[in-house]
């Protein structure tokens, strides 16, 4: 059974010090040393041996993005939110994911109550993702497989029942999308992240050719507002564009 991970937040309004720790684990920083009690609960306050206070909070989705060890650029919370909103991902779903990376998307979906099988071609990245999902408290719901999902398609299409959701962040996504009707249950969704518009076009064309319904591609853009004494305007420092998301839905049951 996965041990519960808690978020420790330094009790200082000017501090941004936050740490993920399991019950029974030790925190060692320049603020002192503390061992998280086995009975620690959200709402508790813990002190280091130097008297520095940390509040205990329950781990939430955005904390995964902030604190998971990174092997590249993780999927942004706004992109995860769009995938969840467009596909209706929910408890009880089975998800086939490829391009695990840091594991943020897989962990988010698992924390919603889905069962996730995710593929990562890089063995080192896969191992980091396994540790991340364990730290995120969802190791029981996320199976990180090392390998290329395209090599397993002949086996995966025979899985009974089919998947409710297919999520892809890989260069060979169009080849997997072609098999989406065989992988998904009727009404299941496919969601593909593409870093470049040319990739998004190939995915959209593959989805239409495969017979998925409601195929659409959106660019994800978000601008923060700079609220100052003189007035309010969009922040010019941040990068608002993150990528392209293509969605489609299976109209027939491939099983």
């Amino acid at each position: 059974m996965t041990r519960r991970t808690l978020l420790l937040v330094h009790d200082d309004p000017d501090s941004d010090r936050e740490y993920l720790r399991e019950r029974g684990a030790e925190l060692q920083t320049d603020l002192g040393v503390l061992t998280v009690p086995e009975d620690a609960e959200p709402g508790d306050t813990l002190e280091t041996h130097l008297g520095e206070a940390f509040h205990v909070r329950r781990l939430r989705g955005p904390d995964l993005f902030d604190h998971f060890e990174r092997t590249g650029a993780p999927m942004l919370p706004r992109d995860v939110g769009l995938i969840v909103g467009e596909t209706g991902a929910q408890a009880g779903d089975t998800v086939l994911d490829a391009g695990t990376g840091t594991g943020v998307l897989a962990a988010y979906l698992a924390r919603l109550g889905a069962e996730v099988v995710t593929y990562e071609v890089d063995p080192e990245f896969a191992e980091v993702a396994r540790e991340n999902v364990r730290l995120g408290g969802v190791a029981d719901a996320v199976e990180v497989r090392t390998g290329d999902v395209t090599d397993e398609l002949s086996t995966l299409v025979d899985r009974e029942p089919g998947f409710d959701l297919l999520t892809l962040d890989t260069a060979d996504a169009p080849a997997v999308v072609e098999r989406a009707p065989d992988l998904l249950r009727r009404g299941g969704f496919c969601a593909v992240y593409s870093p470049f518009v040319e990739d998004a076009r190939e995915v959209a064309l593959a989805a239409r050719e495969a017979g998925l319904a409601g195929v659409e591609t959106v660019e994800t853009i978000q601008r923060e507002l700079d609220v100052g004494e003189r007035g309010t305007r969009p922040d010019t420092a941040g990068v608002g564009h993150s990528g392209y998301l293509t969605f489609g839905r299976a109209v027939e049951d491939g099983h």
Side-chain angles (χ1 to χ4, degrees):
M1 188 69 176
T2 302
R3 294 173 63 88
R4 188 174 178 185
T5 301
L6 299 169
L7 179 65
L8 308 182
V9 181
H10 186 212
D11 182 24
D12 182 340
D14 297 322
S15 174
D16 60 357
R17 306 284 284 275
E18 297 182 354
Y19 304 92
L20 296 187
R21 289 295 186 276
E22 296 175 348
R23 290 191 179 102
E26 190 174 71
L27 173 67
Q28 297 186 17
T29 72
D30 60 312
L31 299 174
V33 179
L34 69 82
T35 299
V36 182
E38 292 288 352
D39 60 352
E41 292 289 346
D44 291 349
T45 298
L46 309 176
E47 285 193 1
T48 70
H49 79 289
L50 296 179
E52 293 286 344
F54 282 82
H55 294 302
V56 180
R57 294 183 187 171
R58 186 171 51 136
L59 185 65
R60 301 186 68 88
D63 301 319
L64 309 179
F65 176 83
D66 293 334
H67 295 286
F68 272 5
E69 181 179 347
R70 300 188 178 187
T71 51
M75 184 170 287
L76 294 174
R78 68 169 179 254
D79 294 331
V80 175
L82 187 57
I83 289 174
V84 172
E86 289 287 333
T87 67
Q90 60 188 332
D93 279 355
T94 55
V95 182
L96 174 60
D97 175 63
T100 314
T102 300
V104 167
L105 177 59
Y108 255 96
L109 294 173
R111 289 177 67 84
L112 289 176
E115 294 287 332
V116 184
V117 175
T118 180
Y119 283 80
E120 172 56 55
V121 296
D122 188 304
E124 293 184 5
F125 288 9
E127 193 56 39
V128 170
R130 291 187 187 99
E131 174 60 20
N132 280 341
V133 298
R134 186 195 64 78
L135 192 62
V138 290
D140 295 339
V142 179
E143 180 186 355
V144 180
R145 297 181 179 178
T146 303
D148 190 329
V149 69
T150 59
D151 295 333
E152 303 292 329
L153 288 179
S154 59
T155 300
L156 292 168
V157 296
D158 291 331
R159 182 184 183 277
E160 294 286 353
F163 294 95
D164 298 292
L165 178 59
L166 172 62
T167 55
L168 304 170
D169 182 4
T170 62
D172 53 8
V176 184
V177 171
E178 290 175 1
R179 303 298 302 276
D182 300 321
L183 293 164
L184 293 168
R185 293 182 180 181
R186 178 177 296 172
F189 280 91
C190 174
V192 183
Y193 175 85
S194 303
F196 303 109
V197 69
E198 293 87 354
D199 300 322
R201 173 180 169 80
E202 289 187 23
V203 168
L205 292 177
R208 290 172 184 165
E209 182 65 24
L212 296 183
V215 177
E216 66 171 349
T217 300
V218 297
E219 180 181 11
T220 59
I221 301 176
Q222 185 175 13
R223 295 193 301 176
E224 292 187 18
L225 292 182
D226 182 4
V227 180
E229 294 183 0
R230 296 179 56 194
T232 303
R233 57 177 291 168
D235 186 358
T236 57
V239 178
H241 164 89
S242 55
Y244 304 92
L245 285 168
T246 301
F247 300 95
R249 193 172 195 179
V251 294
E252 296 183 357
D253 196 328
H255 297 259

